[in-house]
Amino acid sequence: MAKKSKKQQQPGGTPATVALTTAGVDFTVHSYDHDPAHPSYGEEAAEAMGVSPDRVFKTLVADVDGALTVAVVPVAGQLDLKALASAVGGKRATMADPTLAERTTGYVRGGISPLGQRRKLPTVLDDSASSHPTICVSAGRRGLEVELSPEALAKLTEAVLAPVGRA
């Protein structure tokens, strides 16, 4: 696992790392060799970084009453679609079509970041993030994570904090 220092911008940075650098946010980039055979992108990231799965968050795109919405939840759990719909004032949520999620965010599945998306989507961050000084989310490609404070993530994404994850 290679670890880059805070605010260090590498040539070819992702839109997520560019957004963080531009905003002046303290963050750390973690990279690892992605194994395409691993059954879970998030669990693979936690294992590769040696970080507890409750501090590594996955970015999921859902359709809430016809509007794409981002949910950021711990990799150790699942997204509660009903809670997500409620958090954004909707009635019903389903997982978005993966191709539509990729096209809308500008990222590939397994590398979708809540930061630097092609089109900014409403975002809900699971409130469990607040119990950690830092959390890790995708930095915009498989094998690349960014570690930052949950407060910084919520501010940059204009996220609503709500209990949308479940064990």
Side-chain angles (χ1 to χ4, degrees):
M1 163 186 72
K3 189 173 181 179
K4 296 178 183 127
S5 64
K6 293 181 179 185
K7 292 189 187 177
Q8 183 177 4
Q9 183 60 42
Q10 296 295 313
T14 67
T17 60
V18 170
L20 288 165
T21 301
T22 301
V25 171
D26 285 339
F27 66 97
T28 304
V29 173
H30 300 272
S31 63
Y32 59 92
D33 292 327
H34 166 63
D35 176 5
H38 201 288
S40 166
Y41 297 116
E43 289 175 12
E44 176 190 25
E47 290 167 11
M49 294 185 303
V51 175
S52 172
D54 65 335
R55 282 190 48 230
V56 179
F57 283 64
K58 56 189 169 186
T59 305
L60 303 171
V61 181
D63 179 318
V64 179
D65 298 337
L68 292 182
T69 304
V70 171
V72 184
V73 298
V75 301
Q78 296 180 334
L79 171 61
D80 182 334
L81 288 165
K82 191 172 186 176
L84 176 64
S86 177
V88 295
K91 294 182 191 229
R92 185 171 186 270
T94 58
M95 293 306 298
D97 172 72
T99 303
L100 179 60
E102 290 178 339
R103 191 170 52 243
T104 304
T105 64
Y107 294 118
V108 297
R109 204 170 70 128
I112 295 178
S113 177
L115 301 157
Q117 295 179 355
R118 182 177 290 151
R119 191 175 101 206
K120 191 170 187 167
L121 298 172
T123 301
V124 179
L125 175 60
D126 185 67
D127 62 358
S128 69
S130 298
S131 65
H132 305 287
T134 61
I135 60 171
C136 298
V137 296
S138 176
R141 69 176 178 253
R142 296 172 188 152
L144 196 65
E145 294 280 313
V146 65
E147 181 177 353
L148 73 165
S149 75
E151 295 80 15
L153 179 62
K155 182 178 179 183
L156 286 174
T157 59
E158 299 175 11
V160 171
L161 265 71
V164 294
R166 63 176 180 218

